[in-house]
Amino acid sequence: MSQYTEMLEVEAETLQPDEDDYEKRLLEVASFFRSFDDAFTVFLIEHGYKGAPENEEEKLKYLREKFSKSGVPLHRNYKTWFQRKNPLDRDIVFSICFAFGLNVSETDDFFRRVQLDRSFDCHKINEIVYYFCIKNGLNYSDAQEIISQIPKPEKTKTIPAKDALYTKTIKDFINSIDDREKLIQYLSSNIRDFSYNNTTAIEFIRNIWEQIRKEKGLAEQEGCLIENINRAEDKNKKGDTDTRSKEVIEQEVNREKEYRLDDYVITKNNASTWTIFSQILGLDNGTADKYATIPYNRSIKKVLDNNKLMPLRASDCFPSQENIDSLLRGEMGDNEKVRKMLIFLVFYSYWVKKNIASNNVYYVANLDDTKRCLDRINKYLRDAGYPSLYAGNPYDWLFLWSMNDDCPLNAFRTYIGEVFSIKSEQDSVY
């Protein structure tokens, strides 16, 4: 494990919301994450680059040598690679993997640590061919020749309602062959099944969301827990008798109505996607109402963009009401959108079940709970063809950090609250 990853894992395990300098340390951690250019430089050093890490010309020279020796064409925009904060186009990344002679596991690792994305998407013709070639020791030219012999699938926006071909089935077949003609025949015969992807993950998302949104589902049950706390607090404040005048009581009731805008959003039967999403995030009613209207239109994108606590790809494709609805309709999302949604929903469903079972919205987790949650998220990710949680990915780190808190769901919501606070501070400056 690299010192970089180890440092971020330690921060995820030790940083506590009740520390005096909690907000400051959160911002420090957010600044630690490597952008693409930094991560790519580390990759070069790990693969033989001997020059100074900050010397861009030397790094470009090294790249030219690697591509030239491997016979892989170097993309025309390669001079910008060490100036990029965001990932490269996936086909370009695969050309890098061929140029450096990476095997399958090394390619997986490059995508996970440098690209911050899944590696081979076995519902894309090009990437299936790349997988086959890398697995069988073929080169980049071989891959391009094979791709040229396969028809292009028709574009589609939705996953078929039935008879979908799953990634595991495709991968099992590819692993069973080493003959390129069999590969070409298989892909050409099943070409319709390569016009969509993320089938397994979207099926997982639909099933988990149904557990959350249905009548007496997880969101509604948690809403009842939150409401019960409010009632208990009301009873404790008022006591069994109230000797105050009618006018004083009325004034307090009015003040409490105003205060209630700062209470958590509570899901009830037949709640909208926005209401459930707001409850999962831990938004108060005032904030949820604000972002439900123009100019936000039930979107928190403006809160996340350029936010110091959401660096690099943490804010990119962050779960949203729009993303939930589109995935439920069977519309295909890109890998990042689907993976992040899956993590988000598995995390919430796991911990809210703990809260409900204990009849306590502040359920205190133990180490076994944390390990089981981590294993559960990673199993969903692996079964859907995605990489496991990685502390060097700022989005993943948020969940790893939350899981190490005594109250993981509350910790997640506290972090989101800090994200909104930073947005408010930024708005107040302008």
Side-chain angles (χ1 to χ4, degrees), residues 39-269:
F40 191 36
T41 296
V42 172
F43 169 81
L44 292 189
I45 294 170
E46 293 172 345
H47 288 78
Y49 174 67
K50 303 300 184 183
E54 67 277 5
N55 191 322
E56 187 173 317
E57 284 303 317
E58 284 295 315
K59 290 187 288 188
L60 292 173
K61 179 183 176 182
Y62 183 70
L63 270 182
R64 288 193 294 269
E65 291 173 353
K66 295 295 290 186
F67 273 78
S68 177
K69 288 179 180 178
S70 65
V72 177
L74 186 55
H75 197 271
R76 62 181 180 276
N77 73 350
Y78 79 99
K79 291 184 178 180
T80 68
W81 293 356
F82 297 106
Q83 301 163 9
R84 293 182 63 92
K85 301 303 176 187
N86 295 317
L88 292 170
D89 177 83
R90 291 176 61 85
D91 275 331
I92 295 176
V93 175
F94 280 110
S95 74
I96 293 171
C97 295
F98 275 102
F100 279 81
L102 303 187
N103 59 29
V104 170
S105 63
E106 290 168 338
T107 301
D108 289 341
D109 190 59
F110 185 97
F111 272 86
R112 182 171 182 252
R113 292 196 298 121
V114 182
Q115 182 78 353
L116 300 184
D117 198 357
R118 75 188 293 184
S119 56
F120 305 97
D121 183 343
C122 286
H123 264 282
K124 292 184 177 179
I125 293 293
N126 286 16
E127 299 191 18
I128 296 171
V129 174
Y130 295 150
Y131 176 75
F132 173 85
C133 289
I134 290 175
K135 182 179 75 72
N136 290 289
L138 302 179
N139 61 32
Y140 186 77
S141 296
D142 294 324
Q144 297 306 312
E145 183 183 345
I146 293 171
I147 290 170
S148 69
Q149 299 181 55
I150 302 168
K152 291 185 178 181
E154 295 180 5
K155 292 183 178 180
T156 182
K157 292 184 178 180
T158 58
I159 295 172
K162 59 180 181 178
D163 299 328
L165 187 61
Y166 289 92
T167 297
K168 186 179 184 303
T169 304
I170 299 169
K171 207 163 187 177
D172 285 347
F173 178 80
I174 304 304
N175 285 333
S176 71
I177 62 171
D178 57 11
D179 185 293
R180 67 177 69 189
E181 294 304 322
K182 289 183 179 179
L183 174 68
I184 294 169
Q185 181 181 1
Y186 174 77
L187 296 179
S188 300
S189 300
N190 295 279
I191 197 64
R192 290 183 180 179
D193 292 304
F194 300 102
S195 60
Y196 56 87
N197 62 352
N198 295 312
T199 312
T200 301
I202 291 175
E203 186 174 296
F204 287 156
I205 288 168
R206 285 170 161 174
N207 290 338
I208 297 169
W209 184 254
E210 177 61 21
Q211 294 175 38
I212 293 169
R213 63 145 291 277
K214 68 182 180 181
E215 185 176 357
K216 305 298 183 185
L218 299 178
E220 187 178 350
Q221 289 184 65
E222 189 197 21
C224 290
L225 284 180
I226 297 170
E227 197 166 40
N228 289 340
I229 287 178
N230 289 337
R231 288 173 180 168
E233 289 176 350
D234 288 344
K235 185 176 181 180
N236 290 336
K237 282 192 294 184
K238 293 179 181 178
D240 295 331
T241 61
D242 197 332
T243 59
R244 296 171 299 170
S245 67
K246 181 179 179 181
E247 290 77 11
V248 171
I249 294 174
E250 187 174 333
Q251 288 175 0
E252 180 168 333
V253 168
N254 289 333
R255 282 197 301 270
E256 287 185 353
K257 285 180 179 179
E258 184 177 350
Y259 169 77
R260 285 301 180 193
L261 288 174
D262 294 328
D263 283 348
Y264 286 128
V265 170
I266 295 175
T267 294
K268 296 185 178 180
N269 189 23

Side-chain angles (χ1 to χ4, degrees), residues 214-428:
K214 68 182 180 181
E215 185 176 357
K216 305 298 183 185
L218 299 178
E220 187 178 350
Q221 289 184 65
E222 189 197 21
C224 290
L225 284 180
I226 297 170
E227 197 166 40
N228 289 340
I229 287 178
N230 289 337
R231 288 173 180 168
E233 289 176 350
D234 288 344
K235 185 176 181 180
N236 290 336
K237 282 192 294 184
K238 293 179 181 178
D240 295 331
T241 61
D242 197 332
T243 59
R244 296 171 299 170
S245 67
K246 181 179 179 181
E247 290 77 11
V248 171
I249 294 174
E250 187 174 333
Q251 288 175 0
E252 180 168 333
V253 168
N254 289 333
R255 282 197 301 270
E256 287 185 353
K257 285 180 179 179
E258 184 177 350
Y259 169 77
R260 285 301 180 193
L261 288 174
D262 294 328
D263 283 348
Y264 286 128
V265 170
I266 295 175
T267 294
K268 296 185 178 180
N269 189 23
N270 294 320
S272 67
T273 303
W274 172 250
T275 298
I276 298 172
F277 177 65
S278 298
Q279 179 176 301
I280 295 174
L281 291 183
L283 301 187
D284 59 68
N285 288 299
T287 301
D289 290 345
K290 173 183 176 180
Y291 284 94
T293 57
I294 296 173
Y296 304 104
N297 296 321
R298 298 184 297 281
S299 170
I300 62 170
K301 188 176 187 304
K302 292 183 179 180
V303 177
L304 305 176
D305 288 347
N306 301 314
N307 194 298
K308 293 179 181 178
L309 279 179
M310 301 299 289
L312 303 171
R313 298 202 78 189
S315 61
D316 183 27
C317 297
F318 191 90
S320 67
Q321 179 241 316
E322 180 183 4
N323 288 353
I324 293 170
D325 286 341
S326 67
L327 293 174
L328 294 178
R329 289 193 297 267
E331 295 178 11
M332 292 185 299
D334 66 21
N335 296 329
E336 190 74 359
K337 171 180 170 181
V338 177
R339 180 179 183 273
K340 285 181 174 176
M341 185 65 73
L342 186 58
I343 294 169
F344 177 74
L345 295 182
V346 175
F347 173 86
Y348 173 73
S349 65
Y350 181 89
W351 291 112
V352 79
K353 285 177 182 177
K354 293 291 183 182
N355 289 358
I356 292 167
S358 65
N359 197 35
N360 181 5
V361 293
Y362 301 114
Y363 170 77
V364 177
N366 57 51
L367 290 177
D368 286 341
D369 291 329
T370 299
K371 184 179 183 304
R372 279 193 288 269
C373 182
L374 177 60
D375 290 345
R376 185 174 179 82
I377 292 174
N378 283 337
K379 184 178 188 307
Y380 268 100
L381 291 173
R382 288 192 299 269
D383 288 351
Y386 296 118
S388 301
L389 293 180
Y390 167 53
N393 182 322
Y395 181 83
D396 294 8
W397 187 90
L398 166 56
F399 292 91
L400 291 168
W401 171 75
S402 298
M403 279 186 278
N404 280 301
D405 191 78
D406 289 340
C407 299
L409 190 51
N410 189 54
F412 171 78
R413 288 164 170 166
T414 299
Y415 192 102
I416 296 298
E418 293 293 336
V419 171
F420 274 83
S421 294
I422 286 179
K423 168 63 175 175
S424 297
E425 291 171 7
Q426 290 173 336
D427 288 348
S428 66

